[in-house]
Amino acid sequence: LVAGCDAVVACLGNRQPFMPRWCARGTELAVGAAKAQGVPRFVTLNSFGIGEDGLPRVGFIARLWSVLLATLLRRARADLREHESIVRASGLDFVLVKPVGLTPEKPPTESWKTVVDGEVSAAPVDYSLAKSDVALFLLQQALAGPDAPGGLHSTGVALVGTD
């Protein structure tokens, strides 16, 4: 990390079911480095279905993802849960971004819906979100200081596409 930074953006991990898990360990190192350099803000990518994201668990995609996380991806789920625990306990101003339905083929729209921790979405979820839109959201949150409009602070947020 570079001294004098205002934020760290961490997009760690892998989702291949049979590869070693290192997201939590990488998060420990990144959080430790942020603290050592006095970087106050930590914006990180996590996953839909980890922790309480406020999204309805209905529909084929949501059910399929729940089954995959409980079976083939159970090691990844454990790693991502530990990642989230480390971030929440860090004492840093954090945003845990949990995108739903990352779709490489989808063109960017620069629009999305958010469901912040503690909220519950009753609306149907669009399971299609451009990766570049997630990158833009991460950047916007990294640049959002304590008083910036639209900035989230010390919370998780599910990020979903718009219809």
Side-chain angles (χ1 to χ4, degrees), residues 65-131:
W65 188 240
S66 293
V67 169
L68 287 173
L69 284 173
T71 57
L72 288 176
L73 299 174
R74 68 182 167 272
R75 289 177 51 228
R77 180 179 65 179
D79 190 37
L80 290 170
R81 282 182 172 168
E82 187 176 352
H83 158 82
E84 183 165 323
S85 294
I86 293 164
V87 171
R88 287 186 184 278
S90 70
L92 298 171
D93 179 21
F94 67 87
V95 182
L96 282 155
V97 181
K98 303 173 181 188
V100 178
L102 288 178
T103 308
E105 303 81 26
K106 183 168 181 165
T109 63
E110 296 186 17
S111 65
W112 46 76
K113 296 177 193 171
T114 58
V115 181
V116 177
D117 278 358
E119 295 178 354
V120 176
S121 174
V125 174
D126 179 1
Y127 290 99
S128 178
L129 185 63
K131 286 185 174 186

Side-chain angles (χ1 to χ4, degrees), residues 17-101:
F18 303 108
M19 292 183 72
R21 301 288 128 206
W22 48 268
C23 185
R25 178 65 183 135
T27 301
E28 287 175 343
L29 294 172
V31 163
K35 287 177 156 184
Q37 293 296 323
V39 179
R41 190 150 172 81
F42 197 85
V43 179
T44 186
L45 192 64
N46 202 333
S47 177
F48 162 60
I50 305 300
E52 298 298 322
D53 52 33
L55 296 175
R57 297 293 191 261
V58 297
F60 175 75
I61 299 292
R63 289 185 186 136
L64 175 63
W65 188 240
S66 293
V67 169
L68 287 173
L69 284 173
T71 57
L72 288 176
L73 299 174
R74 68 182 167 272
R75 289 177 51 228
R77 180 179 65 179
D79 190 37
L80 290 170
R81 282 182 172 168
E82 187 176 352
H83 158 82
E84 183 165 323
S85 294
I86 293 164
V87 171
R88 287 186 184 278
S90 70
L92 298 171
D93 179 21
F94 67 87
V95 182
L96 282 155
V97 181
K98 303 173 181 188
V100 178

Side-chain angles (χ1 to χ4, degrees), residues 2-25:
V2 179
C5 290
D6 294 324
V8 171
V9 177
C11 301
L12 305 171
N14 63 48
R15 304 299 188 264
Q16 290 69 34
F18 303 108
M19 292 183 72
R21 301 288 128 206
W22 48 268
C23 185
R25 178 65 183 135

